[in-house]
Amino acid sequence: TDELCQAQESLMNSLPEYSNNRARKMTKAKFQASVSRFPCAEGPSSRECLGMHRCRMLPSWSTNREEILQLMPDFLELWWKRPIKLNTWGMLFPHQFGFYWFLRQLQPEVVIENGVRRGLTTWLIRQAVPDVKIFSFDPGLASFAGRKQKKHDVLLYYDPNATYYLGGSYRCGKEAEQRHLWPRGIKRFQDWSTCDWSWANKDKVLILFDDHMNIGERVAQMRKLGFIHALYDDNHPSGATNFATPHDACDFTNPRMYAHESETLTSSERLATYESLAAYWEFPPVLFHPVIAAAWINRFMRINDTLRNCILSELSPMPLIQTVGQLQQYNLTTIAFDEMAGYFWLVWLKIRSG
């Protein structure tokens, strides 16, 4: 609605512009220029959309915005103490809060973390569930095709009680420039699915996928090994990335016809992935409705305006914070705009047994 557009603009103008994350190059002026192309009061007609979001018909988490926001004060107290202030190419505020919220709700005994980066999510796991067993997997950014090769990746937060499986490009601690440091608990990288998990109570395990890998493969691995709960971090709309996301199994009757083609789901993989899901729920954005935040997605998507608008309007959970009063109530006015706009449909998946 027009009211939503006006409220979102007021919220945006209430925030500082940067979190010193200049690499993202997202200014309010660029944001507003892009948003003006997508009037949020006028969505596409249903016949302009290619299909339907099948996962919307699956069971979801039963809660409301007020219940979710009850944890915001606790999270903010932690967030200001976080050891890594600039989490470039990692989770930003909306997903950090969502991840924290899921951890507090599920209270897992084991967390399998796929995608470590600098270590901020490892720290967040430990704060949310202090006694949890953490297993962290990352081949290192130098292993990722299409990304500028780096000499090493620096682990800025190391949890001595976690078990790490890291690629050879990683360094740990202040001496990262001088030599490899392999503290106790760090092992050579192997995929999480190749480890022995027979000892684990699968009902009390949460798997985080922040690894940009094919969701069809990951869901098949979970079902084979008997795991139930997963969070998928970068759940971009179909066609927006070069890896298949949960949206690819849910969104359209003929996904992946728009942009990247390197990591597709075949028709049989889409069906198998969808039928493996017992429940699906996207954590809402904290502040910016995805339609309003169209600029944040544009850099990933090479499709025409009508189809982009269709995708955004079809996949748009309402934000948790909808007024400037709420923004002030929860003391969020000092968190930078570019930090708040980092939302990519964090989703909880419950996998069918058998």
Side-chain angles (χ1 to χ4, degrees):
T1 65
D2 288 331
E3 290 79 9
L4 176 61
C5 288
Q6 294 168 4
Q8 294 272 281
E9 186 172 357
S10 297
L11 289 168
M12 181 175 65
N13 290 330
S14 300
L15 300 178
E17 185 147 329
Y18 281 113
S19 61
N20 294 321
N21 194 352
R22 298 281 175 174
R24 296 189 180 275
K25 298 179 181 177
M26 178 58 65
T27 66
K28 291 182 183 178
K30 289 182 180 179
F31 181 90
Q32 289 172 316
S34 180
V35 167
S36 66
R37 298 173 56 202
F38 308 107
C40 62
E42 298 178 9
S45 66
S46 58
R47 66 181 176 219
E48 290 177 308
C49 294
L50 296 181
M52 65 179 180
H53 194 292
R54 293 179 293 180
C55 293
R56 292 278 186 258
M57 297 182 289
L58 294 173
S60 64
W61 206 286
S62 179
T63 190
N64 58 48
R65 292 179 183 83
E66 290 72 22
E67 291 173 339
I68 294 173
L69 285 169
Q70 286 176 3
L71 277 181
M72 182 63 78
D74 291 344
F75 173 72
L76 273 177
E77 185 177 354
L78 283 175
W79 192 79
W80 289 116
K81 300 175 184 177
R82 67 198 187 283
I84 301 166
K85 304 302 184 186
L86 187 60
N87 199 33
T88 307
W89 303 115
M91 278 190 186
L92 297 179
F93 187 91
H95 282 211
Q96 291 167 16
F97 176 55
F99 187 35
Y100 176 80
W101 187 88
F102 279 115
L103 288 165
R104 290 284 300 270
Q105 300 303 310
L106 291 168
Q107 290 293 308
E109 296 174 357
V110 177
V111 174
I112 302 172
E113 179 190 20
N114 290 284
V116 178
R117 191 64 176 108
R118 295 176 174 179
L120 183 59
T121 50
T122 314
W123 174 82
L124 196 56
I125 295 166
R126 183 63 66 201
Q127 306 313 304
V129 194
D131 297 327
V132 71
K133 294 180 180 178
I134 304 174
F135 296 84
S136 300
F137 297 80
D138 201 315
L141 289 182
S143 315
F144 290 175
R147 182 79 59 85
K148 182 179 179 181
Q149 297 295 296
K150 301 190 179 194
K151 293 181 180 179
H152 59 259
D153 302 305
V154 180
L155 192 64
L156 298 180
Y157 171 80
Y158 168 70
D159 186 328
N161 296 314
T163 301
Y164 290 87
Y165 294 81
L166 301 181
S169 66
Y170 260 99
R171 306 289 193 275
C172 301
K174 295 180 180 179
E175 298 181 52
E177 294 292 341
Q178 283 73 41
R179 62 187 176 88
H180 258 110
L181 292 178
W182 291 97
R184 183 179 179 183
I186 291 187
K187 303 179 181 181
R188 295 292 177 180
F189 175 76
Q190 66 185 87
D191 192 74
W192 78 278
S193 63
T194 64
C195 296
D196 179 13
W197 302 108
S198 58
W199 54 269
N201 177 359
K202 307 300 173 58
D203 289 342
K204 299 297 289 182
V205 176
L206 175 63
I207 304 179
L208 171 66
F209 292 117
D210 190 7
D211 55 0
H212 297 191
M213 298 297 290
N214 187 318
I215 184 59
E217 178 182 354
R218 289 316 198 194
V219 167
Q221 291 168 344
M222 286 188 64
R223 196 165 188 185
K224 180 180 179 180
L225 295 171
F227 289 102
I228 298 172
H229 297 287
L231 293 178
Y232 196 94
D233 178 52
D234 292 302
N235 185 24
H236 297 283
S238 181
T241 67
N242 60 355
F243 54 92
T245 71
H247 277 153
D248 285 306
C250 300
D251 286 350
F252 298 107
T253 56
N254 186 25
R256 298 245 152 237
M257 63 180 290
Y258 330 118
H260 302 287
E261 296 293 342
S262 59
E263 279 286 344
T264 64
L265 287 175
T266 66
S267 297
S268 59
E269 286 175 329
R270 285 201 305 273
L271 182 61
T273 303
Y274 170 70
E275 291 184 341
S276 296
L277 301 180
Y280 175 105
W281 186 64
E282 294 168 9
F283 191 80
V286 173
L287 193 61
F288 291 117
H289 192 285
V291 172
I292 310 300
W296 204 249
I297 303 164
N298 285 348
R299 65 191 178 100
F300 294 103
M301 306 181 76
R302 302 192 301 270
I303 55 180
N304 65 60
D305 289 355
T306 299
L307 190 52
R308 182 186 292 114
N309 203 20
C310 173
I311 290 173
L312 293 172
S313 63
E314 287 292 302
L315 311 175
S316 303
M318 293 296 288
L320 296 172
I321 302 293
Q322 299 185 23
T323 68
V324 174
Q326 286 180 305
L327 194 70
Q328 296 168 342
Q329 175 187 348
Y330 290 100
N331 298 315
L332 299 175
T333 54
T334 57
I335 299 175
F337 158 74
D338 65 335
E339 181 81 31
M340 274 295 196
Y343 174 77
F344 302 109
W345 294 273
L346 175 68
V347 62
W348 164 69
L349 304 174
K350 186 176 182 180
I351 309 303
R352 296 185 188 279
S353 60

